[in-house]
Amino acid sequence: MLSVNKAKKIYKAQSGDVVALNGVDISFKENGLTFILGKSGSGKTTLLNILSGLDQLTEGGVFFLGEDISKFSEAEMDKYRNIETGIVFQNYNLIESMTVYDNIAVALEIQKGNNKDAIDKKIKEVLEYVNLEEYENRKVTELSGGQRQRVAIARALVKNPCIILADEPTGNLDVETGFAITQLLHNISEAGSLVIMTTHNMQLL
Ligand code: ADP
Ligand code: MG
């Protein structure tokens, strides 16, 4: 479903070229939890940004269902980003001024075609799934790190994507909370989606 072929990424920095990916080949499985393990600076964020369509390769390609994503039309790329993939970041990337509910609603509003009732139903379901059903009206600034990461996972999951990309989702959390988040992502992958998670922490494997 998803593969990377001879992926090379070179950043043009002031001090010269930085080779962040140097000929990466990966063929991901259809589903399940896949870890990408690497120390800081090894190119994990670069790879996930490229898999999610946020950034582009210098050479090589990312293929989704056999199609080179760099050749997607604008509409195809919107679909890839808004429906087919969901992203979770180390620092959550939630909108701090908004409630839990509204943060998740954003993901459904950009999908279009969801009416208010459908949005409401999906948000309630996903919040129950991540064990935050009582928190929908809380502002995200009033949540713990682990709870914020659950909201970020809910925001990715509510789109019902076939791929979830999680970049060091446990990086800001204590060990116990990190394991709980990894378990949640594992459960999501068992339900049928492909979850790709980067980490520099061997103990999570
Ligand atoms: P990781 O997520 O594994 O820590 P990154 O993908 O963030 O690694 O970075 C890989 C390499 O690319 C590092 O050497 C980093 O300094 C460099 N890098 C990342 N982003 C940029 C950028 N925008 N410009 C120049 N170099 C970058
Ligand atoms: Mg990183």
Coordinates of all heavy atoms in Angstrom, one line a residue, residues 9-14 16-21 38-49 55 167-168 198, ligand 1:
K9 N 16.9 12.7 0.5 CA 16.5 14.1 0.8 C 17.7 14.9 1.2 O 18.5 14.5 2.1 CB 15.5 14.0 2.0 CG 15.1 15.4 2.5 CD 14.3 16.2 1.5 CE 13.9 17.6 2.1 NZ 13.1 18.3 1.1
I10 N 18.0 15.9 0.5 CA 19.1 16.8 0.8 C 18.5 18.2 1.1 O 17.7 18.8 0.4 CB 20.0 16.9 -0.4 CG1 20.6 15.5 -0.8 CG2 21.2 17.9 -0.1 CD1 21.4 15.5 -2.0
Y11 N 18.8 18.7 2.3 CA 18.4 20.0 2.7 C 19.5 21.0 2.3 O 20.7 20.7 2.5 CB 18.3 20.2 4.2 CG 17.1 19.4 4.8 CD1 17.3 18.3 5.6 CD2 15.8 19.9 4.6 CE1 16.2 17.6 6.1 CE2 14.7 19.2 5.2 CZ 14.9 18.1 5.9 OH 13.9 17.4 6.5
K12 N 19.2 22.1 1.8 CA 20.1 23.2 1.5 C 20.2 24.1 2.7 O 19.3 24.9 3.0 CB 19.6 24.0 0.3 CG 19.5 23.2 -1.0 CD 20.8 23.1 -1.7 CE 20.6 22.1 -2.9 NZ 21.8 21.4 -3.3
A13 N 21.3 23.9 3.5 CA 21.4 24.7 4.7 C 22.5 25.8 4.3 O 23.3 25.6 3.4 CB 21.9 23.9 5.9
Q14 N 22.6 26.8 5.2 CA 23.6 27.9 4.9 C 25.0 27.4 4.9 O 25.8 27.8 4.2 CB 23.4 29.0 5.9 CG 22.3 30.0 5.6 CD 22.3 31.2 6.4 OE1 22.9 31.2 7.5 NE2 21.8 32.3 5.9
G16 N 25.9 24.5 4.0 CA 26.1 23.5 3.0 C 25.0 22.5 3.0 O 24.0 22.6 3.7
D17 N 25.1 21.5 2.1 CA 24.1 20.5 2.0 C 24.1 19.5 3.1 O 25.1 19.1 3.6 CB 24.3 19.7 0.7 CG 24.0 20.5 -0.6 OD1 23.6 21.7 -0.4 OD2 24.1 19.9 -1.7
V18 N 22.8 19.2 3.6 CA 22.7 18.2 4.6 C 21.9 17.0 4.0 O 20.8 17.1 3.5 CB 21.9 18.7 5.8 CG1 21.7 17.6 6.9 CG2 22.5 19.9 6.4
V19 N 22.6 15.8 4.0 CA 21.9 14.6 3.5 C 21.2 14.0 4.6 O 21.7 13.4 5.5 CB 23.0 13.6 2.9 CG1 22.3 12.4 2.3 CG2 23.8 14.3 1.8
A20 N 19.8 14.1 4.6 CA 19.0 13.6 5.7 C 18.6 12.2 5.4 O 18.4 11.4 6.3 CB 17.8 14.5 5.9
L21 N 18.3 11.8 4.2 CA 18.0 10.5 3.8 C 18.8 10.1 2.6 O 18.9 10.9 1.6 CB 16.5 10.4 3.4 CG 15.4 10.7 4.4 CD1 14.0 10.7 3.7 CD2 15.5 9.8 5.6
G38 N 15.6 5.2 15.4 CA 16.9 5.9 15.0 C 17.2 7.0 16.0 O 16.3 7.5 16.6
K39 N 18.5 7.2 16.1 CA 18.9 8.2 17.1 C 18.6 9.6 16.5 O 18.2 9.8 15.3 CB 20.4 8.1 17.4 CG 21.4 8.2 16.3 CD 22.8 7.9 16.8 CE 23.9 8.3 15.9 NZ 24.2 7.7 14.7
S40 N 18.7 10.6 17.4 CA 18.4 12.0 17.0 C 19.2 12.4 15.8 O 20.4 12.2 15.8 CB 18.7 12.9 18.2 OG 18.4 14.2 17.9
G41 N 18.6 13.0 14.8 CA 19.3 13.5 13.6 C 19.4 12.5 12.5 O 20.0 12.7 11.5
S42 N 18.8 11.3 12.7 CA 19.0 10.2 11.7 C 18.0 10.3 10.6 O 18.1 9.5 9.6 CB 18.9 8.8 12.4 OG 17.6 8.7 13.0
G43 N 17.1 11.3 10.7 CA 16.2 11.5 9.5 C 14.7 11.0 9.7 O 14.0 10.9 8.8
K44 N 14.4 10.7 11.0 CA 13.0 10.2 11.2 C 11.9 11.2 10.9 O 10.9 10.8 10.2 CB 12.9 9.7 12.7 CG 13.9 8.7 13.2 CD 13.7 8.3 14.6 CE 13.8 9.4 15.6 NZ 15.2 10.0 15.7
T45 N 12.1 12.4 11.4 CA 11.1 13.4 11.1 C 11.0 13.7 9.6 O 9.9 13.9 9.0 CB 11.4 14.7 11.9 OG1 11.3 14.3 13.3 CG2 10.4 15.8 11.6
T46 N 12.2 13.8 9.0 CA 12.3 14.0 7.5 C 11.4 13.0 6.8 O 10.6 13.3 5.9 CB 13.7 13.9 7.1 OG1 14.5 14.9 7.8 CG2 13.8 14.2 5.6
L47 N 11.6 11.7 7.2 CA 10.9 10.6 6.5 C 9.4 10.7 6.7 O 8.6 10.6 5.7 CB 11.4 9.2 7.0 CG 10.8 8.0 6.3 CD1 11.0 8.0 4.8 CD2 11.3 6.7 6.9
L48 N 9.0 11.0 7.9 CA 7.5 11.1 8.2 C 6.9 12.3 7.5 O 5.8 12.2 6.9 CB 7.2 11.1 9.7 CG 7.2 9.8 10.4 CD1 6.2 9.9 11.6 CD2 6.9 8.6 9.6
N49 N 7.6 13.4 7.4 CA 7.1 14.6 6.7 C 6.9 14.2 5.2 O 6.0 14.7 4.6 CB 8.1 15.8 6.9 CG 8.0 16.4 8.2 OD1 7.0 16.2 9.0 ND2 8.9 17.2 8.6
D55 N 6.4 17.4 2.9 CA 7.7 17.8 2.3 C 8.0 16.8 1.2 O 7.3 15.8 1.0 CB 8.8 17.7 3.4 CG 10.0 18.5 3.0 OD1 10.0 19.1 1.9 OD2 11.0 18.5 3.8
D167 N 5.1 10.8 14.9 CA 6.6 11.1 15.0 C 6.9 11.3 16.4 O 6.6 12.3 17.0 CB 6.8 12.4 14.2 CG 8.3 12.7 14.0 OD1 9.1 11.8 14.3 OD2 8.7 13.8 13.6
E168 N 7.6 10.4 17.0 CA 8.0 10.4 18.4 C 6.9 10.8 19.3 O 7.0 11.7 20.1 CB 9.2 11.3 18.6 CG 10.4 10.9 17.8 CD 11.7 10.9 18.5 OE1 11.8 10.6 19.7 OE2 12.8 11.2 17.8
T198 N 7.8 6.6 14.8 CA 9.2 6.8 15.0 C 9.5 6.9 16.5 O 8.7 7.3 17.3 CB 9.8 8.0 14.3 OG1 9.3 9.2 15.0 CG2 9.4 8.1 12.8
Ligands
ADP1 P1 15.3 13.0 13.5 O1 13.9 13.3 13.4 O2 15.7 11.6 13.4 O3 16.0 13.6 14.8 P2 15.5 14.9 11.3 O4 14.8 14.3 10.2 O5 14.8 16.0 12.1 O6 16.0 13.8 12.3 O7 16.9 15.5 10.7 C1 17.8 14.8 9.9 C2 19.0 15.6 9.5 O8 18.5 16.7 8.7 C3 19.7 16.3 10.7 O9 21.0 16.3 10.4 C4 19.1 17.7 10.7 O10 20.0 18.6 11.3 C5 18.8 18.0 9.3 N1 17.7 18.9 9.0 C6 16.4 18.7 9.3 N2 15.6 19.7 8.9 C7 16.4 20.5 8.2 C8 16.2 21.7 7.5 N3 15.0 22.3 7.4 N4 17.3 22.3 7.0 C9 18.5 21.8 7.1 N5 18.8 20.6 7.7 C10 17.8 20.0 8.3

